[in-house]
């Protein structure tokens, strides 16, 4: 059976809306579970291992599955994170590698070493499409995918829209590049970007062309996942970051309600999944 599992991020919940209030971990987990999320990502770039251990009992008490997001600064340091993630019961570790060689051959060695580590420890990994890491550039990422057939992707396309400063509407060539990433994606992240900004407000009229583009990409990615997998869980992470990811006005207040926006993305993705399921029946 193919299942859609939708997560949110602890980082996105600190704070979760325009009030700026940071709720304690027990309230965060209760709120996330009550909204129908299946799990919550723990971002070790925005927090640390002690935070992960502190939030763990609240995740378990509310039936939420943890997902570990790692930012390893050395090749060796990923091992401890993989061991922790396995103990936590995470489905995989989302790697945003801070080991960033300049030469492609050196990048390949880093990725392959991490994959060998993953296989040895029995903890799956995916490499997120993300800025300021080993997958920073879309063109380099595509070369890595060509060189390493086993490399799997967590697709956060917002980074590549900003990275490449794609013109709208995208050319067929540029759409084809994104499709190559989606074809290797085993999970997805939900955020809408433009060529200048990493996180747009979903209901602003001027942003609708980008909103529709990302909805098209999510549909394409989910359809590809369903074609490649007879069974299993497809994870979609709604990750709308707090300031300075979220844009603010002169008073420092966020310009939109991220909690409601994340729920909107959740609803869109659930609808896309249902449509795909019905089209296959």
């Amino acid at each position: 059976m193919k299942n859609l599992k939708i997560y949110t991020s602890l980082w996105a919940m600190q704070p979760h809306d325009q009030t700026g209030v940071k709720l304690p971990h027990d309230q965060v987990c209760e709120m996330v579970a009550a909204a129908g999320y299946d799990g919550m990502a723990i971002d070790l770039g925005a927090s640390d291992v002690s935070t992960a251990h502190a939030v763990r009992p609240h995740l378990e008490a509310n039936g939420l599955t943890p997902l570990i997001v790692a930012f390893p600064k050395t090749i060796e340091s990923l091992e401890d994170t993989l061991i922790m993630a396995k103990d936590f019961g995470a489905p995989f570790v989302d790697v945003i590698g801070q080991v960033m060689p300049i030469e492609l051959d050196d990048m390949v060695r880093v990725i392959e070493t991490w994959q060998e580590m993953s296989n040895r420890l029995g903890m799956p990994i995916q490499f997120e499409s993300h800025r300021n890491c080993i997958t920073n550039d879309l063109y380099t990422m595509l070369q890595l995918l060509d060189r390493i057939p086993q490399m799997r992707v967590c697709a956060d396309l917002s980074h590549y829209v900003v990275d490449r400063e794609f013109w709208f509407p995208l050319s067929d060539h540029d759409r084809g590049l994104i499709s190559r990433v989606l074809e290797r994606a085993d999970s997805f992240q939900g955020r809408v970007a433009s060529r200048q900004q990493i996180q747009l407000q979903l209901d602003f009229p001027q942003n609708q062309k980008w909103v529709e583009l990302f909805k098209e990409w999510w549909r394409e990615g989910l359809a590809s996942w369903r074609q490649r997998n007879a069974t299993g869980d497809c994870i979609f992470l709604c990750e709308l970051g707090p300031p300075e990811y979220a844009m603010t006005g002169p008073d420092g207040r966020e310009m939109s309600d991220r909690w409601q926006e994340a729920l909107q993305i959740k609803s869109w993705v659930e609808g896309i999944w249902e449509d795909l399921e019905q089209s296959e029946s």
Side-chain angles (χ1 to χ4, degrees):
M1 186 174 181
K2 304 171 189 177
N3 303 299
L4 175 66
K5 301 292 185 179
I6 301 186
Y7 289 37
T8 190
S9 168
L10 178 62
W11 170 60
M13 297 293 294
Q14 296 286 307
H16 66 281
D17 66 5
Q18 296 158 302
T19 65
V21 175
K22 295 184 178 181
L23 299 175
H25 293 151
D26 59 341
Q27 291 184 33
V28 167
C29 292
E30 290 170 5
M31 185 176 181
V32 168
Y37 288 100
D38 298 290
M40 190 158 62
I42 303 173
D43 187 325
L44 298 181
S47 57
D48 54 24
V49 172
S50 62
T51 300
H53 285 286
V55 75
R56 179 180 182 176
H58 304 296
L59 292 170
E60 293 174 347
N62 288 278
L64 297 171
T65 303
L67 173 65
I68 304 299
V69 183
F71 289 74
K73 293 180 172 59
T74 67
I75 292 177
E76 297 76 16
S77 65
L78 181 62
E79 181 161 340
D80 287 342
T81 305
L82 296 181
I83 293 171
M84 182 187 78
K86 188 172 184 178
D87 178 61
F88 272 49
F92 64 91
V93 171
D94 177 17
V95 178
I96 302 174
Q98 302 297 289
V99 183
M100 295 179 274
I102 294 175
E103 298 294 331
L104 182 66
D105 286 345
D106 295 331
M107 293 182 187
V108 170
R109 281 190 283 271
V110 171
I111 298 293
E112 289 181 338
T113 300
W114 277 334
Q115 288 186 317
E116 291 167 1
M117 187 183 295
S118 164
N119 293 335
R120 173 168 55 83
L121 295 172
M123 185 68 232
I125 58 175
Q126 296 177 22
F127 292 89
E128 184 175 335
S129 52
H130 200 288
R131 293 169 297 159
N132 192 33
C133 74
I134 198 168
T135 61
N136 179 84
D137 181 74
L138 172 59
Y139 287 10
T140 302
M141 175 65 143
L142 295 175
Q143 293 178 71
L144 288 170
L145 295 177
D146 287 342
R147 289 278 298 273
I148 312 172
Q150 298 80 21
M151 184 178 179
R152 308 310 301 174
V153 177
C154 171
D156 183 346
L157 301 178
S158 64
H159 292 282
Y160 287 158
V161 171
V162 175
D163 169 52
R164 302 309 307 181
E165 290 197 1
F166 284 134
W167 288 102
F168 190 94
L170 270 68
S171 67
D172 290 341
H173 173 265
D174 289 340
R175 280 183 173 265
L177 299 180
I178 294 296
S179 292
R180 288 175 59 189
V181 175
L182 291 172
E183 288 165 1
R184 296 285 287 274
D186 285 346
S187 69
F188 307 87
Q189 294 194 11
R191 179 189 302 120
V192 174
S194 70
R195 67 191 305 265
Q196 294 91 0
Q197 291 149 342
I198 189 64
Q199 185 170 291
L200 297 178
Q201 298 81 9
L202 299 182
D203 62 349
F204 285 17
Q206 66 270 29
N207 296 338
Q208 294 315 297
K209 62 186 180 183
W210 297 103
V211 170
E212 292 306 313
L213 175 63
F214 273 79
K215 287 163 74 173
E216 290 172 14
W217 277 336
W218 296 334
R219 179 177 292 274
E220 178 182 351
L222 293 174
S224 173
W225 187 94
R226 291 181 64 89
Q227 290 171 359
R228 291 181 276 112
N229 293 273
T231 60
D233 294 339
C234 179
I235 292 177
F236 189 101
L237 170 61
C238 299
E239 192 185 40
L240 300 181
E244 295 177 347
Y245 252 68
M247 286 186 278
T248 56
D251 58 356
R253 184 179 175 86
E254 293 185 46
M255 301 172 71
S256 59
D257 186 328
R258 282 183 297 105
W259 172 252
Q260 293 300 324
E261 287 179 323
L263 292 176
Q264 179 64 77
I265 292 175
K266 178 176 180 289
S267 177
W268 285 336
V269 171
E270 289 169 338
I272 291 169
W273 184 267
E274 184 176 349
D275 288 345
L276 294 172
E277 202 164 46
Q278 290 178 353
S279 67
E280 294 175 8
S281 60

